Amino acid sequence: MTRIFLSPPDVGPAEKSALARAFETNYITSAGPELDAFEAEVATYCHRRHAVGLSSCTAALHLSLLVLGVKPGDRVVTSTMTFAATVNSIIHARAVPVLVDCDQTGNMDPGLLEVALDSLADKGQRVAAVMPVDLLGKLADYDRINAIAGDRSIPVVSDAAEGMGATLGGRPAGSFGTSAAVSFNGNKIMTTSGGGMYLTDDEELAQHVRKLSTQAREPVLHYEHTEIGYNYRLSNLLAGLGRAQLSRLPEMMGRRRQVREFYRGLFSGVNGVEIFDGGDDREDSCWLTSILVDPSTAGWQSADLIGSLAGDDIETRPLWKPMHLQPVHRGLDYFTHDEYPAGGISADLFSRGVTLPSGSALTDADLDRIHQSINTFLETR
């Protein structure tokens, strides 16, 4: 039986052709015409003036903080409901993460952000940046977050790793904040195998990121360095793959939307189960589709469904385990709602969520198999 994966790459003839085109130029390097074109195309798509292709979204977040002047011991306020890379990038910059709980959308709660910033100010701690996260293809509430941070002259760095293709008020992911970072990891809605991109409207910041990402070489003939750099550039070859993926992004998002509607129909009428979309997913990219299970009503727990589908070789996973519950991050400051015990809304979502196969490469036969497996599980309950 062939395994059904959560979000495998969706590639075909267009991607093969793009890789061949890049290969034929012999720019099998971290520079070249495909990378230049890919940066320009992503910048246009994301409504930004500048883009720098990098080896990962984590690299983009790390450099975002460095070029903003984040210093050791500075605080960076971010979402607890995220993948580890968000917090890792802050620690790479030698700053201290401060974690904020989410609202029912899974994204940073702006009200709690305000509480956190005021509390840190009262303690005399410098907040160097606010880093909201776009969860599973739904954008954070940037109108409120930007206003709250702007009132305090704190830059916003958007972690749009999961947001590519989504919009908010018609504006695309990656267009918010002083800078933003998007991901082209193998499981993302579009991929370069591995990779990411830094986005900004500030030319000076973009040039600094570009310099740091190429070992901070000075623009002279010999190798001259006045600051520490990193080997973070995206390869020209993979940029060619990214260009093909970007051209197909609307098609791939459309298929993921169909998959979400498939699950919405499948679980309609199932007591105690709802699609996790925060109540409105019209502008979401539908990168991943998850459900929330109320065990007291459904009569079963999220882990039961995960185990049953695993038995049929169908990959699922819980929602992100919040950063404040991760053993490595015990002791970090965490701001949550007093009325939510046991870790807040994010912990509740983690305990009740199931992320289901969502990729645009899923075939109708795959969906039929998922349908049969879930129906069999529900019948036994």
Side-chain angles (χ1 to χ4, degrees):
M1 183 181 296
T2 303
R3 183 166 175 76
I4 296 177
F5 290 100
L6 199 70
S7 182
D10 181 352
V11 295
E15 288 75 16
K16 287 183 180 179
S17 177
L19 285 170
R21 182 182 65 233
F23 187 86
E24 288 165 3
T25 66
N26 204 36
Y27 278 97
I28 314 301
T29 64
S30 57
E34 295 294 333
L35 181 54
D36 293 342
F38 187 43
E39 289 174 338
E41 289 162 3
V42 172
T44 297
Y45 185 90
C46 293
H47 297 185
R48 286 291 199 176
R49 292 190 177 94
H50 306 283
V52 183
L54 300 169
S55 57
S56 68
C57 184
T58 311
L61 292 171
H62 179 205
L63 296 186
S64 293
L65 297 176
L66 294 186
V67 299
L68 286 174
V70 174
K71 299 292 192 299
D74 284 349
R75 268 53 180 177
V76 175
V77 181
T78 192
S79 308
T80 191
M81 193 67 170
T82 186
F83 177 57
T86 307
V87 172
N88 288 346
S89 70
I90 298 169
I91 295 172
H92 293 334
R94 300 176 66 189
V96 180
V98 176
L99 305 173
V100 171
D101 201 6
C102 61
D103 57 23
Q104 295 295 344
T105 69
N107 285 323
M108 177 185 285
D109 185 320
L112 284 175
L113 170 63
E114 193 160 23
V115 170
L117 294 178
D118 289 344
S119 175
L120 294 169
D122 289 343
K123 296 175 184 177
Q125 295 173 339
R126 179 177 182 265
V127 178
V130 172
M131 187 182 286
V133 178
D134 301 331
L135 191 75
L136 305 189
K138 177 182 288 294
L139 300 195
D141 187 349
Y142 287 103
D143 289 340
R144 293 181 63 194
I145 290 170
N146 285 339
I148 292 165
D151 287 345
R152 296 160 174 80
S153 299
I154 300 171
V156 172
V157 175
S158 169
D159 181 351
E162 304 173 30
M164 188 68 180
T167 58
L168 180 67
R171 287 182 58 184
S175 68
F176 298 91
T178 301
S179 64
V182 294
S183 173
F184 307 127
N185 192 36
N187 67 346
K188 291 301 190 293
I189 200 162
M190 59 170 284
T191 184
T192 58
S193 173
M197 198 162 287
Y198 171 87
L199 297 157
T200 187
D201 295 322
D202 188 310
E203 183 177 5
E204 185 177 345
L205 291 179
Q207 288 177 345
H208 198 184
V209 165
R210 194 178 300 275
K211 175 187 174 184
L212 291 180
S213 71
T214 52
Q215 300 290 15
R217 290 175 56 186
E218 295 296 326
V220 295
L221 183 60
H222 62 275
Y223 290 106
E224 183 85 8
H225 306 271
T226 61
E227 56 187 325
I228 300 299
Y230 306 86
N231 184 17
Y232 275 175
R233 275 299 252 159
L234 181 66
S235 82
N236 186 70
L237 192 67
L238 296 183
L241 173 62
R243 295 183 68 194
Q245 287 272 284
L246 183 62
S247 72
R248 295 183 53 232
L249 183 55
E251 162 202 334
M252 294 190 291
M253 283 196 297
R255 179 56 173 170
R256 287 180 187 256
R257 171 71 61 180
Q258 291 176 351
V259 171
R260 176 162 295 184
E261 295 308 314
F262 160 77
Y263 288 122
R264 201 184 304 278
L266 180 55
F267 287 104
S268 65
V270 178
N271 292 331
V273 179
E274 62 179 305
I275 298 293
F276 175 50
D277 61 7
D280 183 1
D281 66 0
R282 288 173 295 178
E283 292 193 275
D284 296 5
S285 69
C286 300
W287 171 49
L288 295 178
T289 294
S290 303
I291 58 170
L292 296 177
V293 180
D294 179 355
S296 64
T297 303
W300 48 273
Q301 300 185 38
S302 58
D304 298 325
L305 178 59
I306 289 172
S308 180
L309 291 173
D312 288 335
D313 215 7
I314 298 171
E315 183 184 22
T316 63
R317 71 174 183 219
L319 292 174
W320 298 125
K321 182 175 183 178
M323 292 299 101
H324 71 276
L325 297 180
Q326 298 287 351
V328 71
H329 296 312
R330 285 179 185 148
L332 291 180
D333 284 344
Y334 170 54
F335 292 84
T336 187
H337 304 267
D338 292 337
E339 64 268 28
Y340 273 88
I345 292 177
S346 54
D348 177 62
L349 293 176
F350 169 61
S351 70
R352 298 195 296 118
V354 180
T355 301
L356 299 161
S358 308
S360 54
L362 287 170
T363 66
D364 289 346
D366 291 332
L367 296 181
D368 286 344
R369 198 171 124 203
I370 293 167
H371 189 286
Q372 181 179 354
S373 181
I374 291 176
N375 272 349
T376 299
F377 169 80
L378 293 173
E379 287 169 1
T380 65
R381 304 289 159 167

